[in-house]
Amino acid sequence: MTHKITLIPGDGIGPEVASAARRAVDATGVRIDWEQVELNASVIQKTGQSLPEHVVESLQRTRVGLKGPVTTPIGEGYTSVNVALRKRLELFANVRPVRSLAGVATRFGDAKIDMVIFRENTEDLYSGLENEVVPGVVTGIKVITRAASSRIAEYTFAFAESAGRKKVTAIHKANIMKLADGLFLRCCRETAARHPAIEYQEVIVDNAAMQLVIRPETFDILLMPNLYGDIISDLAAGLVGGLGIVPGANMGEHHAVFEAVHGSAPDIAGKGLANPTAMMMSAVLMLIHLQEHDAARRLQSAIEHTYAAHRHLTHDVGGTATTAEFTDAVIEAIARVG
Ligand code: NAI
């Protein structure tokens, strides 16, 4: 079967890592008809739309996307196209597996880190509701609803059960935001009660940040609202070797868009320094979603072999290879892993 997939290279290092991931996926032999659509600052400015319609139309048609990062101007300019896309397609669950990768040195020696972050993806302080009340005073509205909180909680516990995981930790700040985070937590507790086989635990976000750094191996599944999920994801990436190696998936009822945790990395864009592993592993998650389990297994195992051999690694994980050299090594390994 041929799958039609929307490929969004994005900007910054996006086109480099997207093309690497596409080459690696194609090398598995899986049949994909890529529909490439452009989404970057110049397209956004040219169309005058913060989320250009051609991108939405393509994803509505194909229902599955592989997406590179898109830059968002800081403190000014247009609103985040990434947030807009997640809301428009109701990609309510942001799923980010964070795993130690043999061959990547971390600060934790041999401790095996294997956690999955579930981040609510459509509300919270990402509502985009900001106001200048008077000059010098602004408000930003944090939106937490029962519907969205229960939906992400149910999705998380259902995953935990089907994947044979043991424990879900809800992360919150309900000691301060008693109403907003309080509601999120109530929804988590109600959902936990319906899944008694899964151990349930709650940790305040500041304590969670510390516990993650000193005892990362004790975490299993993490469940949290949007903003904490954004921050904790980067922290967790740092535990296993950095943003270059952590993939992600934005899941909805009808659509799925796979993208790495990292952004457009303007500091290294266009230099051949980007690590495409996170994007390739996002493609592995996509292949699993497409039920292409053999191709997914071969690509994942080719990446792992390349790291274990400790040759052709990119700069961020201690090597000297370029994006293209690492990609070539993975493609060679795909042929070998059979
Ligand atoms: P970033 O993730 O782009 O970069 C943070 C640091 O990690 C940089 O030093 C960068 O060089 C390094 N890094 C990131 N990915 C890497 C890779 N694959 N290989 C090697 N090194 C890598 O975060 P930053 O600088 O905060 O954001 C830059 C832009 O990206 C912003 O405009 C932000 O809004 C956007 N962004 C977009 C996302 C998306 O499209 N989903 C997600 C996160 C940020």
Side-chain angles (χ1 to χ4, degrees):
M1 171 184 179
T2 301
H3 305 277
K4 196 149 184 110
I5 303 292
T6 300
L7 180 67
I8 306 171
D11 58 22
I13 59 169
E16 296 164 73
V17 295
S19 115
R22 176 183 178 159
R23 285 182 57 212
V25 169
D26 287 342
T28 66
V30 70
R31 293 220 296 271
I32 291 191
D33 179 5
W34 300 97
E35 183 170 305
Q36 184 163 325
V37 294
E38 299 309 319
L39 181 57
N40 49 49
S42 77
V43 171
I44 293 165
Q45 267 142 20
K46 213 182 305 160
T47 57
Q49 299 164 327
S50 62
L51 179 56
E53 273 307 307
H54 69 278
V55 177
V56 178
E57 276 162 20
S58 173
L59 284 165
Q60 278 170 339
R61 219 175 17 253
T62 62
R63 293 172 173 254
V64 181
L66 181 62
K67 175 184 168 298
V70 180
T71 306
T72 308
I74 293 176
E76 57 176 21
Y78 53 83
T79 54
S80 166
V81 69
N82 305 306
V83 172
L85 187 64
R86 293 165 191 168
K87 283 190 189 164
R88 177 75 179 270
L89 296 179
E90 273 199 77
L91 303 169
F92 65 89
N94 192 187
V95 185
R96 294 168 156 179
V98 180
R99 293 197 181 101
S100 317
L101 188 53
V104 178
T106 72
R107 294 176 185 274
F108 302 96
D110 292 335
K112 184 109 182 66
I113 298 170
D114 179 7
M115 59 179 114
V116 189
I117 293 175
F118 285 77
R119 165 190 177 195
E120 201 291 322
N121 219 10
T122 60
E123 52 181 34
D124 195 356
L125 278 164
Y126 291 62
S127 62
L129 299 171
E130 290 190 304
N131 284 299
E132 184 179 49
V133 182
V134 290
V137 181
V138 298
T139 60
I141 296 180
K142 171 163 167 138
V143 178
I144 299 284
T145 65
R146 168 171 284 281
S149 304
S150 295
R151 184 162 63 168
I152 186 68
E154 187 54 46
Y155 190 83
T156 304
F157 277 89
F159 170 89
E161 276 175 357
S162 69
R165 310 288 295 220
K166 301 272 176 291
K167 180 171 73 177
V168 170
T169 305
I171 294 180
H172 66 93
K173 190 76 185 171
N175 49 331
I176 304 298
M177 282 160 275
K178 295 178 193 294
L179 288 182
D181 284 18
L183 174 57
F184 181 82
L185 220 43
R186 268 205 311 284
C187 296
C188 293
R189 285 175 192 166
E190 289 164 10
T191 312
R194 290 194 294 274
H195 299 268
I198 305 290
E199 185 188 338
Y200 173 67
Q201 179 190 42
E202 295 168 356
V203 183
I204 297 175
V205 63
D206 36 357
N207 180 25
M210 188 273 290
Q211 299 283 350
L212 276 163
V213 171
I214 62 169
R215 280 193 251 340
E217 70 283 358
T218 62
F219 287 88
D220 186 355
I221 305 279
L222 285 73
L223 163 61
M224 59 201 107
N226 207 340
L227 178 62
Y228 311 144
D230 195 355
I231 298 167
I232 295 291
S233 293
D234 274 37
L235 185 151
L239 302 175
V240 295
L243 285 165
I245 60 170
V246 179
N250 298 290
M251 306 300 293
E253 289 277 328
H254 306 293
H255 303 90
V257 176
F258 298 84
E259 66 177 336
V261 173
H262 66 72
S264 56
D267 51 337
I268 56 167
K271 298 179 180 162
L273 293 174
N275 186 349
T277 306
M279 190 71 175
M280 288 182 185
M281 286 185 174
S282 303
V284 170
L285 299 178
M286 179 188 81
L287 290 169
I288 293 168
H289 176 74
L290 295 172
Q291 307 282 323
E292 293 286 358
H293 294 286
D294 191 52
R297 178 193 57 78
R298 290 173 63 221
L299 178 50
Q300 178 68 28
S301 133
I303 294 168
E304 287 170 9
H305 274 78
T306 308
Y307 274 90
H310 219 272
R311 281 182 313 163
H312 311 295
L313 300 189
T314 49
H315 291 250
D316 57 313
V317 285
T320 54
T322 62
T323 310
E325 285 163 352
F326 173 78
T327 306
D328 290 342
V330 169
I331 289 170
E332 250 176 60
I334 289 172
R336 270 185 282 116
V337 293

